[in-house]
Structure formats: structure tokens, C-alpha cells
Amino acid sequence: CSSSNPILLNLLIYDNHNMEGGGLKLSNSSPRLQNVTIANNSSTLYYGGGIYMVYKCNPEFINVNILNNTAPVGGDGIFGITDINITFINSTLWNNSIYLAEVGDPNSIIVSHSNIENGTDAIITNDNTTLHWFDGNINSDPLFNDPENFDLTLQEESPNIDAGTSFF
């Protein structure tokens, strides 16, 4: 996505490979992703196995799962550089990290009612990012039924059940 504001609904973005941004690559874009899974993507040379963002990106992640992406340098799940403003609501980031670079304009991240493995430690801000960690966030195995085969329905004991918010 370049200089665009798409709405991405009900998608599965998986098993893709690129030098950077295996699943998605954004530049000067503000996409809204809702009911999307970004999984098992990889960056083969640089950053952002799941998502690579550069310059003025303002994505909204609502009911999004970001799982098991890889990158050799940084930001397995998400990598961003300069003026990146991310919002997570009712989302799960598992077996991934977020890495926002220390160069360029400041970045920000809003996280609410989401399940982030390792909590705030999964978000590398490099002193150039403001992190807004709101109510309802957890750090517990989401207990997907069969994530290896993309069955991301939740087991009865999942901490994600009723952990989200309907207000957004």
C-alpha cells in the first residue's frame, strides 16, 4: 500500500516472503485491518516479517491476529520507521515483536484490550515512540485450537474470550 487508505476485512495473509515486509509493505498509508490474520510470513533480508512500514503510516488493527512471522534483522511482526502511528484494539500479537526505529519523526502505539505476548517488552520503541498501554491488555497464551493449520478459533479456556471491547 502506497499513499492509500484501504479497508482490509476478513483476510488471511500468510506464507509470503519478501526482502522486507513479507506480509504487507506500507508507505504513507493508513489502512484499517479488521478480522485479519497475518501469519507465517517472512522478510528474507531485512525487517518486518509480517508488516514493514515506512513514513507516515497510521494503521488500525481491530480483531487482528499477528502470529509467527520472522525477520532476520528486527520486527518479526511489525517494523516501522518515521512517523508511524499504530492502533491495536481486540488484537493478538503472538510469537512476534514490534520494532520501531530510532530515526526520523516520532512514532506512537496505542494498545487496548489486546493480547500481546511479553506485554510491553514485545514493543521496541528505541526512545522514539510513545506507547499508550490502555486497559484490558493481557499477556496469556490465546489458546488457539490449531494455529499451525490456521484454525484460530479459541479453546473454551482461552483468556481472549470476553477480553475485548465493543467500544471503538
PDB file of all heavy atoms in Angstrom, residues 133-166:
ATOM      1  N   TRP A 133      -0.493   2.333  26.668  1.00  0.00           N
ATOM      2  CA  TRP A 133      -0.899   0.988  27.056  1.00  0.00           C
ATOM      3  C   TRP A 133      -2.164   1.117  27.891  1.00  0.00           C
ATOM      4  O   TRP A 133      -2.126   1.413  29.066  1.00  0.00           O
ATOM      5  CB  TRP A 133       0.227   0.337  27.853  1.00  0.00           C
ATOM      6  CG  TRP A 133       0.075  -1.112  28.089  1.00  0.00           C
ATOM      7  CD1 TRP A 133      -0.388  -1.709  29.231  1.00  0.00           C
ATOM      8  CD2 TRP A 133       0.401  -2.171  27.188  1.00  0.00           C
ATOM      9  NE1 TRP A 133      -0.366  -3.070  29.088  1.00  0.00           N
ATOM     10  CE2 TRP A 133       0.115  -3.385  27.847  1.00  0.00           C
ATOM     11  CE3 TRP A 133       0.899  -2.211  25.890  1.00  0.00           C
ATOM     12  CZ2 TRP A 133       0.316  -4.627  27.246  1.00  0.00           C
ATOM     13  CZ3 TRP A 133       1.097  -3.439  25.305  1.00  0.00           C
ATOM     14  CH2 TRP A 133       0.813  -4.625  25.975  1.00  0.00           C
ATOM     15  N   PHE A 134      -3.324   0.913  27.270  1.00  0.00           N
ATOM     16  CA  PHE A 134      -4.602   1.145  27.933  1.00  0.00           C
ATOM     17  C   PHE A 134      -5.134  -0.116  28.608  1.00  0.00           C
ATOM     18  O   PHE A 134      -4.516  -1.170  28.576  1.00  0.00           O
ATOM     19  CB  PHE A 134      -5.619   1.702  26.925  1.00  0.00           C
ATOM     20  CG  PHE A 134      -5.316   3.105  26.497  1.00  0.00           C
ATOM     21  CD1 PHE A 134      -4.933   3.372  25.194  1.00  0.00           C
ATOM     22  CD2 PHE A 134      -5.396   4.162  27.393  1.00  0.00           C
ATOM     23  CE1 PHE A 134      -4.635   4.674  24.796  1.00  0.00           C
ATOM     24  CE2 PHE A 134      -5.106   5.459  27.004  1.00  0.00           C
ATOM     25  CZ  PHE A 134      -4.727   5.716  25.700  1.00  0.00           C
ATOM     26  N   ASP A 135      -6.309   0.006  29.190  1.00  0.00           N
ATOM     27  CA  ASP A 135      -6.945  -1.069  29.945  1.00  0.00           C
ATOM     28  C   ASP A 135      -7.235  -2.282  29.075  1.00  0.00           C
ATOM     29  O   ASP A 135      -7.430  -2.179  27.863  1.00  0.00           O
ATOM     30  CB  ASP A 135      -8.271  -0.590  30.549  1.00  0.00           C
ATOM     31  CG  ASP A 135      -8.069   0.448  31.636  1.00  0.00           C
ATOM     32  OD1 ASP A 135      -6.978   0.471  32.238  1.00  0.00           O
ATOM     33  OD2 ASP A 135      -9.000   1.224  31.881  1.00  0.00           O
ATOM     34  N   GLY A 136      -7.309  -3.413  29.742  1.00  0.00           N
ATOM     35  CA  GLY A 136      -7.768  -4.637  29.111  1.00  0.00           C
ATOM     36  C   GLY A 136      -6.708  -5.438  28.387  1.00  0.00           C
ATOM     37  O   GLY A 136      -7.026  -6.465  27.789  1.00  0.00           O
ATOM     38  N   ASN A 137      -5.451  -5.016  28.427  1.00  0.00           N
ATOM     39  CA  ASN A 137      -4.392  -5.766  27.751  1.00  0.00           C
ATOM     40  C   ASN A 137      -3.953  -6.943  28.613  1.00  0.00           C
ATOM     41  O   ASN A 137      -3.909  -6.844  29.841  1.00  0.00           O
ATOM     42  CB  ASN A 137      -3.203  -4.868  27.439  1.00  0.00           C
ATOM     43  CG  ASN A 137      -3.566  -3.788  26.459  1.00  0.00           C
ATOM     44  OD1 ASN A 137      -4.254  -4.049  25.480  1.00  0.00           O
ATOM     45  ND2 ASN A 137      -3.136  -2.571  26.712  1.00  0.00           N
ATOM     46  N   ILE A 138      -3.646  -8.049  27.946  1.00  0.00           N
ATOM     47  CA  ILE A 138      -3.192  -9.244  28.649  1.00  0.00           C
ATOM     48  C   ILE A 138      -1.972  -9.820  27.956  1.00  0.00           C
ATOM     49  O   ILE A 138      -1.649  -9.456  26.829  1.00  0.00           O
ATOM     50  CB  ILE A 138      -4.318 -10.302  28.747  1.00  0.00           C
ATOM     51  CG1 ILE A 138      -4.855 -10.688  27.362  1.00  0.00           C
ATOM     52  CG2 ILE A 138      -5.442  -9.816  29.651  1.00  0.00           C
ATOM     53  CD1 ILE A 138      -5.905 -11.795  27.378  1.00  0.00           C
ATOM     54  N   ASN A 139      -1.321 -10.735  28.663  1.00  0.00           N
ATOM     55  CA  ASN A 139      -0.166 -11.468  28.145  1.00  0.00           C
ATOM     56  C   ASN A 139      -0.357 -12.925  28.549  1.00  0.00           C
ATOM     57  O   ASN A 139       0.221 -13.391  29.512  1.00  0.00           O
ATOM     58  CB  ASN A 139       1.117 -10.881  28.741  1.00  0.00           C
ATOM     59  CG  ASN A 139       2.344 -11.724  28.427  1.00  0.00           C
ATOM     60  OD1 ASN A 139       2.334 -12.571  27.548  1.00  0.00           O
ATOM     61  ND2 ASN A 139       3.407 -11.505  29.180  1.00  0.00           N
ATOM     62  N   SER A 140      -1.244 -13.613  27.836  1.00  0.00           N
ATOM     63  CA  SER A 140      -1.555 -15.007  28.138  1.00  0.00           C
ATOM     64  C   SER A 140      -1.718 -15.773  26.834  1.00  0.00           C
ATOM     65  O   SER A 140      -2.291 -15.256  25.874  1.00  0.00           O
ATOM     66  CB  SER A 140      -2.869 -15.103  28.922  1.00  0.00           C
ATOM     67  OG  SER A 140      -2.766 -14.428  30.148  1.00  0.00           O
ATOM     68  N   ASP A 141      -1.245 -17.011  26.828  1.00  0.00           N
ATOM     69  CA  ASP A 141      -1.404 -17.852  25.640  1.00  0.00           C
ATOM     70  C   ASP A 141      -2.860 -17.793  25.191  1.00  0.00           C
ATOM     71  O   ASP A 141      -3.773 -18.095  25.970  1.00  0.00           O
ATOM     72  CB  ASP A 141      -1.012 -19.281  25.986  1.00  0.00           C
ATOM     73  CG  ASP A 141      -1.016 -20.218  24.791  1.00  0.00           C
ATOM     74  OD1 ASP A 141      -1.673 -19.909  23.765  1.00  0.00           O
ATOM     75  OD2 ASP A 141      -0.375 -21.269  24.886  1.00  0.00           O
ATOM     76  N   PRO A 142      -3.121 -17.377  23.941  1.00  0.00           N
ATOM     77  CA  PRO A 142      -4.503 -17.221  23.482  1.00  0.00           C
ATOM     78  C   PRO A 142      -5.263 -18.547  23.345  1.00  0.00           C
ATOM     79  O   PRO A 142      -6.481 -18.544  23.233  1.00  0.00           O
ATOM     80  CB  PRO A 142      -4.373 -16.527  22.129  1.00  0.00           C
ATOM     81  CG  PRO A 142      -2.970 -16.735  21.706  1.00  0.00           C
ATOM     82  CD  PRO A 142      -2.156 -16.931  22.943  1.00  0.00           C
ATOM     83  N   LEU A 143      -4.551 -19.660  23.374  1.00  0.00           N
ATOM     84  CA  LEU A 143      -5.167 -20.983  23.262  1.00  0.00           C
ATOM     85  C   LEU A 143      -6.009 -21.136  21.996  1.00  0.00           C
ATOM     86  O   LEU A 143      -7.194 -21.462  22.039  1.00  0.00           O
ATOM     87  CB  LEU A 143      -5.998 -21.314  24.511  1.00  0.00           C
ATOM     88  CG  LEU A 143      -5.231 -21.360  25.831  1.00  0.00           C
ATOM     89  CD1 LEU A 143      -6.184 -21.610  26.990  1.00  0.00           C
ATOM     90  CD2 LEU A 143      -4.134 -22.420  25.798  1.00  0.00           C
ATOM     91  N   PHE A 144      -5.358 -20.893  20.854  1.00  0.00           N
ATOM     92  CA  PHE A 144      -6.000 -21.181  19.574  1.00  0.00           C
ATOM     93  C   PHE A 144      -6.131 -22.691  19.447  1.00  0.00           C
ATOM     94  O   PHE A 144      -5.304 -23.447  19.956  1.00  0.00           O
ATOM     95  CB  PHE A 144      -5.171 -20.637  18.415  1.00  0.00           C
ATOM     96  CG  PHE A 144      -5.046 -19.141  18.392  1.00  0.00           C
ATOM     97  CD1 PHE A 144      -3.804 -18.529  18.477  1.00  0.00           C
ATOM     98  CD2 PHE A 144      -6.172 -18.339  18.267  1.00  0.00           C
ATOM     99  CE1 PHE A 144      -3.691 -17.154  18.438  1.00  0.00           C
ATOM    100  CE2 PHE A 144      -6.065 -16.960  18.222  1.00  0.00           C
ATOM    101  CZ  PHE A 144      -4.829 -16.364  18.315  1.00  0.00           C
ATOM    102  N   ASN A 145      -7.139 -23.154  18.734  1.00  0.00           N
ATOM    103  CA  ASN A 145      -7.351 -24.592  18.590  1.00  0.00           C
ATOM    104  C   ASN A 145      -6.243 -25.276  17.805  1.00  0.00           C
ATOM    105  O   ASN A 145      -5.710 -26.286  18.230  1.00  0.00           O
ATOM    106  CB  ASN A 145      -8.720 -24.875  17.953  1.00  0.00           C
ATOM    107  CG  ASN A 145      -9.799 -24.904  19.010  1.00  0.00           C
ATOM    108  OD1 ASN A 145      -9.660 -25.552  20.036  1.00  0.00           O
ATOM    109  ND2 ASN A 145     -10.858 -24.169  18.774  1.00  0.00           N
ATOM    110  N   ASP A 146      -5.850 -24.744  16.662  1.00  0.00           N
ATOM    111  CA  ASP A 146      -4.824 -25.376  15.839  1.00  0.00           C
ATOM    112  C   ASP A 146      -4.139 -24.320  14.975  1.00  0.00           C
ATOM    113  O   ASP A 146      -4.352 -24.256  13.760  1.00  0.00           O
ATOM    114  CB  ASP A 146      -5.463 -26.465  14.966  1.00  0.00           C
ATOM    115  CG  ASP A 146      -4.435 -27.328  14.244  1.00  0.00           C
ATOM    116  OD1 ASP A 146      -3.216 -27.164  14.494  1.00  0.00           O
ATOM    117  OD2 ASP A 146      -4.855 -28.165  13.420  1.00  0.00           O
ATOM    118  N   PRO A 147      -3.309 -23.460  15.584  1.00  0.00           N
ATOM    119  CA  PRO A 147      -2.718 -22.346  14.833  1.00  0.00           C
ATOM    120  C   PRO A 147      -1.816 -22.784  13.683  1.00  0.00           C
ATOM    121  O   PRO A 147      -1.694 -22.072  12.702  1.00  0.00           O
ATOM    122  CB  PRO A 147      -1.939 -21.568  15.888  1.00  0.00           C
ATOM    123  CG  PRO A 147      -1.714 -22.526  17.006  1.00  0.00           C
ATOM    124  CD  PRO A 147      -2.867 -23.487  16.978  1.00  0.00           C
ATOM    125  N   GLU A 148      -1.207 -23.958  13.782  1.00  0.00           N
ATOM    126  CA  GLU A 148      -0.333 -24.431  12.706  1.00  0.00           C
ATOM    127  C   GLU A 148      -1.119 -24.643  11.418  1.00  0.00           C
ATOM    128  O   GLU A 148      -0.579 -24.553  10.327  1.00  0.00           O
ATOM    129  CB  GLU A 148       0.385 -25.724  13.107  1.00  0.00           C
ATOM    130  CG  GLU A 148       1.457 -25.517  14.173  1.00  0.00           C
ATOM    131  CD  GLU A 148       0.883 -25.359  15.580  1.00  0.00           C
ATOM    132  OE1 GLU A 148      -0.236 -25.865  15.856  1.00  0.00           O
ATOM    133  OE2 GLU A 148       1.537 -24.699  16.392  1.00  0.00           O
ATOM    134  N   ASN A 149      -2.402 -24.938  11.541  1.00  0.00           N
ATOM    135  CA  ASN A 149      -3.257 -25.143  10.375  1.00  0.00           C
ATOM    136  C   ASN A 149      -4.279 -24.017  10.221  1.00  0.00           C
ATOM    137  O   ASN A 149      -5.319 -24.193   9.592  1.00  0.00           O
ATOM    138  CB  ASN A 149      -3.969 -26.501  10.479  1.00  0.00           C
ATOM    139  CG  ASN A 149      -2.978 -27.639  10.358  1.00  0.00           C
ATOM    140  OD1 ASN A 149      -2.216 -27.703   9.401  1.00  0.00           O
ATOM    141  ND2 ASN A 149      -2.963 -28.519  11.345  1.00  0.00           N
ATOM    142  N   PHE A 150      -3.979 -22.875  10.803  1.00  0.00           N
ATOM    143  CA  PHE A 150      -4.776 -21.645  10.718  1.00  0.00           C
ATOM    144  C   PHE A 150      -6.189 -21.774  11.273  1.00  0.00           C
ATOM    145  O   PHE A 150      -7.075 -21.047  10.877  1.00  0.00           O
ATOM    146  CB  PHE A 150      -4.797 -21.080   9.287  1.00  0.00           C
ATOM    147  CG  PHE A 150      -3.418 -20.745   8.808  1.00  0.00           C
ATOM    148  CD1 PHE A 150      -2.794 -21.515   7.853  1.00  0.00           C
ATOM    149  CD2 PHE A 150      -2.737 -19.676   9.350  1.00  0.00           C
ATOM    150  CE1 PHE A 150      -1.499 -21.216   7.442  1.00  0.00           C
ATOM    151  CE2 PHE A 150      -1.448 -19.373   8.943  1.00  0.00           C
ATOM    152  CZ  PHE A 150      -0.840 -20.145   7.989  1.00  0.00           C
ATOM    153  N   ASP A 151      -6.385 -22.704  12.192  1.00  0.00           N
ATOM    154  CA  ASP A 151      -7.643 -22.745  12.931  1.00  0.00           C
ATOM    155  C   ASP A 151      -7.442 -21.884  14.172  1.00  0.00           C
ATOM    156  O   ASP A 151      -6.905 -22.339  15.183  1.00  0.00           O
ATOM    157  CB  ASP A 151      -8.013 -24.177  13.321  1.00  0.00           C
ATOM    158  CG  ASP A 151      -9.291 -24.239  14.138  1.00  0.00           C
ATOM    159  OD1 ASP A 151      -9.900 -23.177  14.426  1.00  0.00           O
ATOM    160  OD2 ASP A 151      -9.693 -25.369  14.504  1.00  0.00           O
ATOM    161  N   LEU A 152      -7.826 -20.620  14.057  1.00  0.00           N
ATOM    162  CA  LEU A 152      -7.605 -19.679  15.152  1.00  0.00           C
ATOM    163  C   LEU A 152      -8.858 -19.499  16.006  1.00  0.00           C
ATOM    164  O   LEU A 152      -8.970 -18.520  16.740  1.00  0.00           O
ATOM    165  CB  LEU A 152      -7.118 -18.340  14.604  1.00  0.00           C
ATOM    166  CG  LEU A 152      -5.805 -18.429  13.815  1.00  0.00           C
ATOM    167  CD1 LEU A 152      -5.369 -17.061  13.341  1.00  0.00           C
ATOM    168  CD2 LEU A 152      -4.696 -19.088  14.622  1.00  0.00           C
ATOM    169  N   THR A 153      -9.774 -20.456  15.902  1.00  0.00           N
ATOM    170  CA  THR A 153     -10.879 -20.440  16.857  1.00  0.00           C
ATOM    171  C   THR A 153     -10.282 -20.688  18.233  1.00  0.00           C
ATOM    172  O   THR A 153      -9.210 -21.287  18.373  1.00  0.00           O
ATOM    173  CB  THR A 153     -11.934 -21.512  16.509  1.00  0.00           C
ATOM    174  OG1 THR A 153     -11.299 -22.785  16.459  1.00  0.00           O
ATOM    175  CG2 THR A 153     -12.610 -21.191  15.176  1.00  0.00           C
ATOM    176  N   LEU A 154     -10.962 -20.208  19.236  1.00  0.00           N
ATOM    177  CA  LEU A 154     -10.423 -20.256  20.590  1.00  0.00           C
ATOM    178  C   LEU A 154     -10.941 -21.451  21.374  1.00  0.00           C
ATOM    179  O   LEU A 154     -12.124 -21.807  21.279  1.00  0.00           O
ATOM    180  CB  LEU A 154     -10.785 -18.961  21.329  1.00  0.00           C
ATOM    181  CG  LEU A 154     -10.262 -17.668  20.696  1.00  0.00           C
ATOM    182  CD1 LEU A 154     -10.854 -16.460  21.397  1.00  0.00           C
ATOM    183  CD2 LEU A 154      -8.749 -17.633  20.731  1.00  0.00           C
ATOM    184  N   GLN A 155     -10.051 -22.051  22.146  1.00  0.00           N
ATOM    185  CA  GLN A 155     -10.465 -23.095  23.071  1.00  0.00           C
ATOM    186  C   GLN A 155     -11.342 -22.472  24.157  1.00  0.00           C
ATOM    187  O   GLN A 155     -11.271 -21.272  24.422  1.00  0.00           O
ATOM    188  CB  GLN A 155      -9.245 -23.755  23.707  1.00  0.00           C
ATOM    189  CG  GLN A 155      -8.339 -24.448  22.712  1.00  0.00           C
ATOM    190  CD  GLN A 155      -7.085 -25.002  23.365  1.00  0.00           C
ATOM    191  OE1 GLN A 155      -7.055 -25.298  24.563  1.00  0.00           O
ATOM    192  NE2 GLN A 155      -6.032 -25.141  22.576  1.00  0.00           N
ATOM    193  N   GLU A 156     -12.152 -23.287  24.806  1.00  0.00           N
ATOM    194  CA  GLU A 156     -13.074 -22.787  25.833  1.00  0.00           C
ATOM    195  C   GLU A 156     -12.368 -22.028  26.946  1.00  0.00           C
ATOM    196  O   GLU A 156     -12.930 -21.100  27.521  1.00  0.00           O
ATOM    197  CB  GLU A 156     -13.864 -23.950  26.442  1.00  0.00           C
ATOM    198  CG  GLU A 156     -14.920 -24.510  25.537  1.00  0.00           C
ATOM    199  CD  GLU A 156     -15.705 -25.633  26.203  1.00  0.00           C
ATOM    200  OE1 GLU A 156     -15.749 -25.694  27.451  1.00  0.00           O
ATOM    201  OE2 GLU A 156     -16.278 -26.450  25.468  1.00  0.00           O
ATOM    202  N   GLU A 157     -11.133 -22.394  27.245  1.00  0.00           N
ATOM    203  CA  GLU A 157     -10.382 -21.780  28.343  1.00  0.00           C
ATOM    204  C   GLU A 157      -9.595 -20.545  27.922  1.00  0.00           C
ATOM    205  O   GLU A 157      -8.848 -19.970  28.716  1.00  0.00           O
ATOM    206  CB  GLU A 157      -9.398 -22.798  28.941  1.00  0.00           C
ATOM    207  CG  GLU A 157     -10.016 -24.102  29.382  1.00  0.00           C
ATOM    208  CD  GLU A 157     -10.218 -25.089  28.225  1.00  0.00           C
ATOM    209  OE1 GLU A 157      -9.489 -25.027  27.216  1.00  0.00           O
ATOM    210  OE2 GLU A 157     -11.145 -25.907  28.321  1.00  0.00           O
ATOM    211  N   SER A 158      -9.718 -20.119  26.684  1.00  0.00           N
ATOM    212  CA  SER A 158      -8.917 -19.015  26.168  1.00  0.00           C
ATOM    213  C   SER A 158      -9.149 -17.724  26.961  1.00  0.00           C
ATOM    214  O   SER A 158     -10.286 -17.319  27.188  1.00  0.00           O
ATOM    215  CB  SER A 158      -9.236 -18.748  24.697  1.00  0.00           C
ATOM    216  OG  SER A 158      -8.585 -17.571  24.265  1.00  0.00           O
ATOM    217  N   PRO A 159      -8.062 -17.042  27.340  1.00  0.00           N
ATOM    218  CA  PRO A 159      -8.192 -15.758  28.019  1.00  0.00           C
ATOM    219  C   PRO A 159      -8.704 -14.652  27.086  1.00  0.00           C
ATOM    220  O   PRO A 159      -9.117 -13.594  27.550  1.00  0.00           O
ATOM    221  CB  PRO A 159      -6.773 -15.456  28.506  1.00  0.00           C
ATOM    222  CG  PRO A 159      -5.900 -16.182  27.541  1.00  0.00           C
ATOM    223  CD  PRO A 159      -6.658 -17.431  27.171  1.00  0.00           C
ATOM    224  N   ASN A 160      -8.683 -14.902  25.775  1.00  0.00           N
ATOM    225  CA  ASN A 160      -9.183 -13.897  24.814  1.00  0.00           C
ATOM    226  C   ASN A 160     -10.699 -13.782  24.821  1.00  0.00           C
ATOM    227  O   ASN A 160     -11.247 -12.755  24.426  1.00  0.00           O
ATOM    228  CB  ASN A 160      -8.724 -14.245  23.395  1.00  0.00           C
ATOM    229  CG  ASN A 160      -7.267 -13.921  23.142  1.00  0.00           C
ATOM    230  OD1 ASN A 160      -6.484 -13.762  24.060  1.00  0.00           O
ATOM    231  ND2 ASN A 160      -6.892 -13.838  21.889  1.00  0.00           N
ATOM    232  N   ILE A 161     -11.378 -14.842  25.266  1.00  0.00           N
ATOM    233  CA  ILE A 161     -12.845 -14.831  25.264  1.00  0.00           C
ATOM    234  C   ILE A 161     -13.337 -13.752  26.240  1.00  0.00           C
ATOM    235  O   ILE A 161     -12.929 -13.718  27.406  1.00  0.00           O
ATOM    236  CB  ILE A 161     -13.405 -16.216  25.625  1.00  0.00           C
ATOM    237  CG1 ILE A 161     -13.039 -17.201  24.511  1.00  0.00           C
ATOM    238  CG2 ILE A 161     -14.918 -16.157  25.820  1.00  0.00           C
ATOM    239  CD1 ILE A 161     -13.403 -18.648  24.797  1.00  0.00           C
ATOM    240  N   ASP A 162     -14.171 -12.877  25.756  1.00  0.00           N
ATOM    241  CA  ASP A 162     -14.747 -11.763  26.517  1.00  0.00           C
ATOM    242  C   ASP A 162     -13.696 -10.779  27.041  1.00  0.00           C
ATOM    243  O   ASP A 162     -13.987  -9.993  27.935  1.00  0.00           O
ATOM    244  CB  ASP A 162     -15.601 -12.280  27.688  1.00  0.00           C
ATOM    245  CG  ASP A 162     -16.807 -13.058  27.213  1.00  0.00           C
ATOM    246  OD1 ASP A 162     -17.355 -12.708  26.130  1.00  0.00           O
ATOM    247  OD2 ASP A 162     -17.203 -14.019  27.898  1.00  0.00           O
ATOM    248  N   ALA A 163     -12.490 -10.800  26.487  1.00  0.00           N
ATOM    249  CA  ALA A 163     -11.457  -9.866  26.923  1.00  0.00           C
ATOM    250  C   ALA A 163     -11.446  -8.589  26.099  1.00  0.00           C
ATOM    251  O   ALA A 163     -10.813  -7.609  26.464  1.00  0.00           O
ATOM    252  CB  ALA A 163     -10.076 -10.530  26.841  1.00  0.00           C
ATOM    253  N   GLY A 164     -12.147  -8.584  24.983  1.00  0.00           N
ATOM    254  CA  GLY A 164     -12.155  -7.424  24.092  1.00  0.00           C
ATOM    255  C   GLY A 164     -13.162  -6.383  24.527  1.00  0.00           C
ATOM    256  O   GLY A 164     -13.817  -6.484  25.557  1.00  0.00           O
ATOM    257  N   THR A 165     -13.277  -5.370  23.701  1.00  0.00           N
ATOM    258  CA  THR A 165     -14.226  -4.308  23.941  1.00  0.00           C
ATOM    259  C   THR A 165     -15.067  -4.118  22.684  1.00  0.00           C
ATOM    260  O   THR A 165     -14.588  -4.336  21.572  1.00  0.00           O
ATOM    261  CB  THR A 165     -13.530  -2.987  24.307  1.00  0.00           C
ATOM    262  OG1 THR A 165     -14.524  -1.980  24.526  1.00  0.00           O
ATOM    263  CG2 THR A 165     -12.586  -2.513  23.227  1.00  0.00           C
ATOM    264  N   SER A 166     -16.293  -3.722  22.856  1.00  0.00           N
ATOM    265  CA  SER A 166     -17.132  -3.417  21.697  1.00  0.00           C
ATOM    266  C   SER A 166     -17.118  -1.922  21.397  1.00  0.00           C
ATOM    267  O   SER A 166     -17.707  -1.471  20.434  1.00  0.00           O
ATOM    268  CB  SER A 166     -18.561  -3.885  21.940  1.00  0.00           C
ATOM    269  OG  SER A 166     -19.097  -3.223  23.067  1.00  0.00           O
TER     270      SER A 166
END
